[in-house]
């Protein structure tokens, strides 16, 4: 029940980011921060698959924005989660 608002937020972000290009939002930087928070909250709730999906959305957005630091941070977090899930081969692809 506690994850329902997070799941709804994830669904909305996913829908917003499903099209190619930079989404029409008021502040792309705030959108990046919101996705980082969403992923972090999933991690705190011990929902690694949802956190993984959130970081993938974040990575996609950072790529569109040309945010190299954001892309690197997303890849680090994705790798960390994959290692926690005992998926070293997939984690190595991110490196």
């Amino acid at each position: 029940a506690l994850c329902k608002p997070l799941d709804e937020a994830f669904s909305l972000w996913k829908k917003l980011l499903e099209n190619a290009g930079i989404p029409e939002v008021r502040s792309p930087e705030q959108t990046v921060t919101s996705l980082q928070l969403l992923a972090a909250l999933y991690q705190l709730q011990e929902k690694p698959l949802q956190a993984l999906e959130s970081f993938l959305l974040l990575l996609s957005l950072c790529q569109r924005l040309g945010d190299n630091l954001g892309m690197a941070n997303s890849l680090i977090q994705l790798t960390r989660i994959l290692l926690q899930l005992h998926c070293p081969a997939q984690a190595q692809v991110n490196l």
Side-chain angles (χ1 to χ4, degrees), residues 3-20:
C3 284
K4 187 176 179 181
L6 290 178
D7 293 339
E8 290 173 4
F10 174 78
S11 178
L12 292 172
W13 284 122
K14 188 174 178 179
K15 188 172 185 169
L16 178 70
L17 297 171
E18 67 186 7
N19 297 323

Side-chain angles (χ1 to χ4, degrees), residues 4-82:
K4 187 176 179 181
L6 290 178
D7 293 339
E8 290 173 4
F10 174 78
S11 178
L12 292 172
W13 284 122
K14 188 174 178 179
K15 188 172 185 169
L16 178 70
L17 297 171
E18 67 186 7
N19 297 323
I22 298 173
E24 293 185 27
V25 293
R26 188 175 357 170
S27 171
E29 294 81 13
Q30 245 181 353
T31 302
V32 167
T33 302
S34 294
L35 284 169
Q36 289 170 333
L37 286 171
L38 179 69
L41 288 171
Y42 272 131
Q43 285 180 308
L44 288 173
Q45 292 287 327
E46 297 182 6
K47 303 279 185 180
L49 296 179
Q50 290 87 341
L52 190 71
E53 288 182 294
S54 299
F55 280 119
L56 286 170
L57 280 180
L58 179 59
L59 177 63
S60 172
L61 178 59
C62 289
Q63 287 172 330
R64 296 176 201 187
L65 296 173
D67 179 0
N68 292 328
L69 181 59
M71 288 188 311
N73 286 332
S74 298
L75 288 170
I76 289 168
Q77 294 299 325
L78 286 167
T79 302
R80 182 177 291 152
I81 293 169
L82 287 168

